[in-house]
Amino acid sequence: VKMSDLMGNALYGPRSTVYRRLVALRDKGVILVENDPDDKRERYVKPSEAAEAYIAQVRSGVDDLFKRERLR
């Protein structure tokens, strides 16, 4: 996702707030921020490996919960 798209979306709050949140997530290792190789002004945000592992763990837990509920 382009960082400019995230910062430009009013649903996420003011640009300064979005930027601070992205920096905090980056500092915690949840997201990676990478420069566009063709346009150094543009940056992309993507989940880190740790975030991907956490998402997979949550997804597995939700799937297990639904399986148990169907067996009732």
Side-chain angles (χ1 to χ4, degrees):
V1 177
K2 286 185 178 182
M3 184 178 271
S4 59
D5 290 344
L6 293 172
M7 292 179 63
N9 192 330
L11 290 174
Y12 303 131
R15 291 175 59 90
S16 60
T17 301
V18 173
Y19 181 77
R20 284 194 310 271
R21 288 178 181 165
L22 290 171
V23 168
L25 290 170
R26 182 199 64 200
D27 292 347
K28 291 178 182 180
V30 177
I31 62 170
L32 301 173
V33 179
E34 298 177 349
N35 289 331
D36 184 329
D38 299 324
D39 184 357
K40 297 297 181 190
R41 298 169 296 174
E42 193 63 69
R43 292 180 287 176
Y44 290 93
V45 177
K46 67 179 193 175
S48 67
E49 286 184 26
E52 293 283 0
Y54 179 74
I55 291 167
Q57 184 179 11
V58 169
R59 184 176 291 128
S60 175
V62 170
D63 288 346
D64 290 346
L65 177 65
F66 281 113
K67 287 176 188 174
R68 282 190 301 226
E69 289 299 317
R70 279 190 225 141
L71 295 176
R72 286 184 175 188

